[in-house]
Amino acid sequence: MKKKEIFITSAFTQNSVWRQILGICSALAVTNLMLNSLVMGLGVIFTLALSSFTISMIRDLIPKRIRMMVQTLIIASYVIIVDLFLKAYYPEISKSLGPYVGLIITNCIIMGRAEAFAGKNAPIDSMIDGIGAGVGYTLVLLIIAFVRELFGFGSVFGIPLLGDWWTKWSIMVMAPSAFFMLAILIWVINTPKLKRG
Amino acid sequence: MELNAFIIFIAAIFTSNILLTNFLGMCSFLSVSKEVDSSIGLGMAVVFVMTMTSALNYVVYHYILVPLDIIYLQYIIFIIVIAAFVQLTEMVMERFSPILYYSLGIFLPLITVNCAILGVSLFMIIRNYSFIQSVAYGAGSGLGWLLAILALAGIRQRIKEKYVPTGLVGAGLSLIITGIMALAFVGFSGIVVIQ
């Protein structure tokens, strides 16, 4: 497969969130602000790319029985890097993301890509696949966060857009709206696909 | 502020439900909730593992990681503790209670990657809970998760034969049901508040 194809497949046509319903825990939790979503997305892209690369490099050395454990440890090491980086340079964002940075470890997308792609393919291809999956995930996060922040706070990336006349929808900031937004997104994306057969 | 452990327990079930307000444990929540029986099985396993690992991780964190000044390794250590505990439970269960093993055992491997388990451990560290508070929080969160998955499984079983728009079948519909459940749980939020 060509590199570009790998990227497109894992980012859009086989997008982990809306096609496979993976990794939605954090997709729901951090999407009340665009900035948080972007940072979270970048963290996931970084972790996905490097852990796919590493797992693919040593894929022949990992014993089959303990491969889950080895993969988890590799992923955890990269997540620690992300966490320390955020704590050092962006303490504010790190604080508002709270434990969700650490929870990238148990994000099913990373494990899923490791199992489905990195375990069978060459390192560079796996890395591209990882970046693709990460970009697809970030895209979903940003779409949901855009709607929630716009209606909930009347702003985008913290910049007020709607002005004072806008009555803030506090429901958009609370938990239930995240479920509804993701459901609507999945619905909208899957409908034309089903019609085409 | 020192919170009563019992209050934390109740709050973890209702007002700060780990699934409906913190969105943790969604993956297995959506995939296992097709039938009531299996969701009870998974829920019970989650309650047990969550209570025990929050106690274990509390001890590991405060008596090993903090004195040695290696807090930055907490993610790796917590994951290892959880995985090791799940593996151990599986082995003990298989040896001493085969019946329990066949009803709960199949769900145990799923639990290692359930983000709610790791999430509870991380929240308890961030919120500076004492040992009793941590255990209460772990048990409460587990019960809250069981409650949520049980409710969803019950609703999904009833709705199975109804007409739903094709694009919504499966995950989309479950998410909407969960959203409505979350709305209902927002109603509890006046009772007690823990962050």
Side-chain angles (χ1 to χ4, degrees):
Chain A
M1 237 192 325
K2 283 217 300 282
K3 312 260 184 271
K4 199 175 149 196
E5 263 171 59
I6 297 175
F7 181 83
I8 300 281
T9 311
S10 72
F12 302 107
T13 41
Q14 282 303 319
N15 182 296
S16 308
V17 181
W18 68 67
R19 298 295 302 162
Q20 301 164 14
I21 324 291
L22 289 178
I24 52 179
C25 308
S26 47
L28 294 166
V30 299
T31 49
N32 52 357
L33 289 173
M34 297 257 323
L35 189 62
N36 287 355
S37 312
L38 186 67
V39 172
M40 184 75 183
L42 291 178
V44 170
I45 294 176
F46 173 84
T47 317
L48 254 170
L50 288 178
S51 63
S52 286
F53 183 75
T54 318
I55 289 166
S56 168
M57 289 265 275
I58 58 167
R59 66 184 188 277
D60 297 327
L61 301 174
I62 308 175
K64 270 270 171 303
R65 280 181 67 90
I66 57 158
R67 70 174 192 290
M68 297 283 260
M69 203 60 227
V70 175
Q71 288 166 358
T72 314
L73 289 183
I74 292 172
I75 296 166
S77 322
Y78 287 116
V79 172
I80 290 178
I81 297 176
V82 173
D83 187 44
L84 289 179
F85 177 82
L86 284 180
K87 275 200 181 114
Y89 292 98
Y90 303 100
E92 286 291 303
I93 296 175
S94 163
K95 204 158 197 171
S96 70
L97 285 176
Y100 292 105
V101 178
L103 288 169
I104 297 178
I105 300 171
T106 45
N107 190 323
C108 333
I109 293 180
I110 303 181
M111 215 46 167
R113 290 333 291 171
E115 278 287 290
F117 200 94
K120 303 187 200 85
N121 290 285
I124 298 295
D125 287 356
S126 305
M127 193 164 160
I128 292 169
D129 173 75
I131 297 175
V135 168
Y137 172 81
T138 312
L139 202 68
V140 174
L141 248 61
L142 286 178
I143 295 173
I144 299 179
F146 176 75
V147 178
R148 287 184 72 190
E149 193 181 333
L150 189 67
F151 289 129
F153 296 99
S155 60
V156 171
F157 279 111
I159 304 160
L161 274 191
L162 291 175
D164 293 334
W165 56 272
W166 179 253
T167 311
K168 288 168 183 159
W169 299 9
S170 53
I171 182 77
M172 278 295 177
V173 186
M174 291 193 299
S177 75
F179 290 111
F180 293 134
M181 285 307 306
L182 186 61
I184 292 169
L185 186 74
I186 291 173
W187 190 7
V188 169
I189 286 172
N190 284 344
T191 304
K193 194 157 235 153
L194 291 171
K195 280 214 178 102
R196 261 185 271 128
Chain B
M1 188 178 68
E2 196 69 9
L3 278 168
N4 188 327
F6 181 69
I7 291 179
I8 291 183
F9 177 74
I10 297 293
I13 299 179
F14 295 111
T15 58
S16 304
N17 189 296
I18 190 97
L19 190 115
L20 299 172
T21 57
N22 292 323
F23 311 105
L24 297 179
M26 286 297 295
C27 296
S28 38
F29 177 73
L30 290 181
S31 55
V32 183
S33 62
K34 286 195 187 77
E35 273 158 29
V36 173
D37 289 343
S38 50
S39 60
I40 291 181
L42 181 67
M44 300 286 265
V46 166
V47 174
F48 176 67
V49 173
M50 220 177 238
T51 317
M52 297 306 285
T53 52
S54 59
L56 278 174
N57 279 339
Y58 180 88
V59 173
V60 167
Y61 183 82
H62 286 277
Y63 295 97
I64 298 177
L65 296 186
V66 174
L68 291 177
D69 202 18
I70 45 169
I71 298 170
Y72 57 88
L73 282 182
Q74 59 170 326
Y75 299 145
I76 289 192
I77 305 288
F78 285 177
I79 280 281
I80 294 176
V81 168
I82 292 169
F85 179 76
V86 169
Q87 194 83 54
L88 200 71
T89 318
E90 206 178 340
M91 282 169 359
V92 171
M93 225 185 230
E94 195 177 9
R95 172 76 181 76
F96 292 105
S97 169
I99 303 166
L100 199 62
Y101 177 75
Y102 285 113
S103 58
L104 289 188
I106 41 167
F107 299 113
L108 283 172
L110 260 179
I111 285 180
T112 320
V113 288
N114 188 327
C115 39
I117 311 281
L118 181 63
V120 163
S121 293
L122 294 177
F123 271 120
M124 110 202 154
I125 299 296
I126 286 184
R127 293 177 185 169
N128 270 324
Y129 285 161
S130 71
F131 182 73
I132 303 291
Q133 284 173 326
S134 302
V135 175
Y137 181 63
S141 299
L143 279 175
W145 200 87
L146 170 67
L147 187 68
I149 195 171
L150 201 58
L152 179 65
I155 297 171
R156 275 182 79 170
Q157 246 179 6
R158 300 225 151 193
I159 225 162
K160 208 159 36 182
E161 276 140 38
K162 304 285 187 291
Y163 170 76
V164 216
T166 9
L168 265 182
V169 172
L173 188 65
S174 308
L175 279 169
I176 289 186
I177 297 172
T178 317
I180 296 171
M181 260 157 56
L183 266 182
F185 272 66
V186 168
F188 285 119
S189 61
I191 311 176
V192 268
V193 182
I194 51 161
Q195 302 188 3

